[in-house]
Amino acid sequence: MPSLAAHIPEVPGSGIRRIYEIAAELDGVVSLGVGEPDVPIAPHIAAAARAAWDRDDTNYNPNGGILPLRRAIVDKLAAENAIPVEVEQVWVTIGATQAIHLAMQLVLGAGDEVLIPDPGYTIFTMNARMLDARPVPYSLTPERAFLPSIDELEALITPRTRMIIVNSPSNPLGAVFPREVLEQLLAFARRHDLWILSDEVYERFTWGEPHVSLAALDAETARRADGGGGVERVFSAFSFSKTYAMTGVRVGYLVTPPGLSATMRSMQEASISCVAMPDQFAALAAIQGEQSHVADAAAHYRANYRAAAQALTARGIHYLEPTGAFYLWVDVSHASEGDVAAWAERFLLHERVAVAPGSAFGRSGEGWIRLCLAATEPDLLAGIERLPAP
């Protein structure tokens, strides 16, 4: 039998998906492990998808996506993110997952290095390994309020460093990077001529600390430097999945610096050709329709946080107070015995509660778990009640 490419065995599995798959075989599981909104999709979004099927909008479409959706995204980016772009910089993708992979694929070759947050979303490392590149973690620790250290980043730079990935609001930490931290990261990338991949999937869910898009800061810096004002070095990944409870619809978008349209057309054609048209019409309805259901979802997640925080505090269990996303980063090091992945499996089997082990997000996650707040309050409190107290 022929062998696979030599670097493929180095692609790690997902510790989140392992818990998910075990839980799928069990009855009566309280599911707090997967980042899945528990609110229904808004009726006008579902109706738009049905209407597309009914009128047989099921053909091929441009590699970048249907023009009405791309134009709507351009308008949204200008109004909500302060990112000035043209239509040819917006590429509709199969979720932010494909957007992130595309950006990394454009930049990273075999042996190149990419700086990734630790803890950070699992696919950052997985994608790097798939491309035969080297993921280099930079730590986000409680001692620094889970914010990056520029001094540490400087020490990690080598001649092979090509990109830094920034995720704010953070999955799994729920941390939102303040504007001044993002400005420092942008200045760091400019000093070392790095690309930046900014994962902004949870942009609509922030608590107190406002969301700032790195591409907006990039454009500001360019405007001050040469009067141009365009995005220079930032790729931005966005998604409809979390904002609009459309995780299974699989629509996201990648925002690129200018001048890449010919390359992007080839990349899309070779990988997916295009995103399904009914899915894109659902996304168009989502972005152009009324947004009260998004605000309602945010209020639901925040109410769940308050209830969970009260329950954890009452039991003496330490956690990070989130400023965004819909997760709680919870310390179970008193019980996990140095192997939180194995502990999470035992906890699932014995207590019927699914949580994401922190080590799935990097070495710095050892001893922690991620709880998803997108659940019913009774399920959330039942899961917390079964956690071992110190």
Side-chain angles (χ1 to χ4, degrees):
M1 180 177 178
S3 61
L4 300 176
H7 66 280
I8 292 300
E10 297 182 13
V11 178
S14 168
I16 308 169
R17 278 284 168 176
R18 176 167 176 78
I19 292 293
Y20 177 84
E21 289 164 3
I22 296 172
E25 300 296 322
L26 303 174
D27 294 325
V29 171
V30 175
S31 181
L32 305 177
V34 177
E36 181 81 61
D38 68 316
V39 297
I41 193 169
H44 67 276
I45 300 174
R50 283 194 297 271
W53 280 104
D54 289 343
R55 63 177 179 264
D56 196 25
D57 270 334
T58 55
N59 299 323
Y60 286 125
N61 60 89
N63 297 127
I66 59 174
L67 189 56
L69 177 57
R70 296 174 83 186
R71 285 175 172 165
I73 291 171
V74 168
D75 292 343
K76 175 263 182 187
L77 290 169
E80 297 182 15
N81 301 89
I83 302 176
V85 295
E86 303 295 332
V87 166
E88 283 300 303
Q89 292 172 253
V90 172
W91 298 82
V92 182
T93 57
I94 300 179
T97 300
Q98 192 224 342
I100 290 167
H101 184 81
L102 260 178
M104 296 177 73
Q105 193 175 26
L106 282 164
V107 169
L108 300 173
D112 286 341
E113 296 177 356
V114 52
L115 302 172
I116 63 169
D118 177 14
Y121 188 42
T122 54
I123 67 167
F124 301 151
T125 296
M126 296 171 78
N127 279 335
R129 293 298 187 190
M130 286 174 67
L131 298 169
D132 200 15
R134 179 172 175 254
V136 178
Y138 63 89
S139 61
L140 304 174
T141 63
E143 295 76 22
R144 293 198 304 267
F146 293 98
L147 299 176
S149 162
I150 300 299
D151 289 341
E152 179 191 357
L153 288 169
E154 292 284 357
L156 295 174
I157 288 289
T158 77
R160 299 306 302 265
T161 310
R162 295 275 291 151
M163 172 182 273
I164 178 171
I165 298 177
V166 179
N167 177 206
S168 175
S170 163
N171 175 14
L173 299 173
V176 178
F177 292 2
R179 180 188 179 97
E180 57 269 24
V181 171
L182 295 173
E183 289 174 338
Q184 292 168 7
L185 290 169
L186 179 60
F188 163 78
R190 291 176 68 87
R191 278 196 303 276
H192 298 285
D193 198 23
L194 304 180
W195 293 103
I196 301 175
L197 172 53
S198 182
D199 176 351
E200 302 181 28
V201 167
Y202 295 89
E203 59 171 332
R204 294 291 291 273
F205 303 123
T206 61
W207 328 112
E209 189 71 53
H211 172 68
V212 177
S213 290
L214 259 166
L217 300 182
D218 189 22
E220 281 183 22
T221 302
R223 186 163 52 249
R224 290 195 300 267
D226 55 27
V231 178
E232 291 186 344
R233 66 181 62 247
V234 177
F235 292 91
S236 304
F238 295 90
S239 176
F240 291 85
S241 293
K242 313 296 183 176
T243 300
Y244 298 105
M246 294 169 59
T247 53
V249 182
R250 310 307 303 133
V251 184
Y253 53 100
L254 179 67
V255 183
T256 76
L260 296 177
S261 57
T263 299
M264 286 296 298
R265 275 194 290 274
S266 297
M267 298 285 283
Q268 284 283 76
E269 177 65 22
S271 56
I272 67 163
S273 181
C274 55
V275 174
M277 288 185 74
D279 298 347
Q280 292 190 66
F281 279 108
L284 179 62
I287 202 171
Q288 290 187 327
E290 59 87 19
Q291 305 289 304
S292 63
H293 58 107
V294 179
D296 291 344
H300 165 56
Y301 303 146
R302 196 56 179 167
N304 273 0
Y305 161 68
R306 289 191 290 268
Q310 184 177 8
L312 288 166
T313 300
R315 305 198 63 227
I317 301 173
H318 177 60
Y319 62 91
L320 168 69
E321 181 179 355
T323 48
F326 48 58
Y327 301 112
L328 259 181
W329 193 239
V330 178
D331 184 358
V332 294
S333 57
H334 55 276
S336 59
E337 299 177 341
D339 188 349
V340 74
W343 176 87
E345 288 191 28
R346 294 194 302 271
F347 184 61
L348 171 58
L349 294 172
H350 297 157
E351 300 293 340
R352 292 298 196 268
V353 179
V355 299
S359 57
F361 303 97
R363 291 182 181 178
S364 296
E366 182 56 58
W368 296 77
I369 57 172
R370 188 195 71 178
L371 299 183
C372 180
L373 295 170
T376 67
E377 183 177 311
D379 276 356
L380 183 60
L381 296 180
I384 290 172
E385 182 61 31
R386 298 176 203 175
L387 288 174

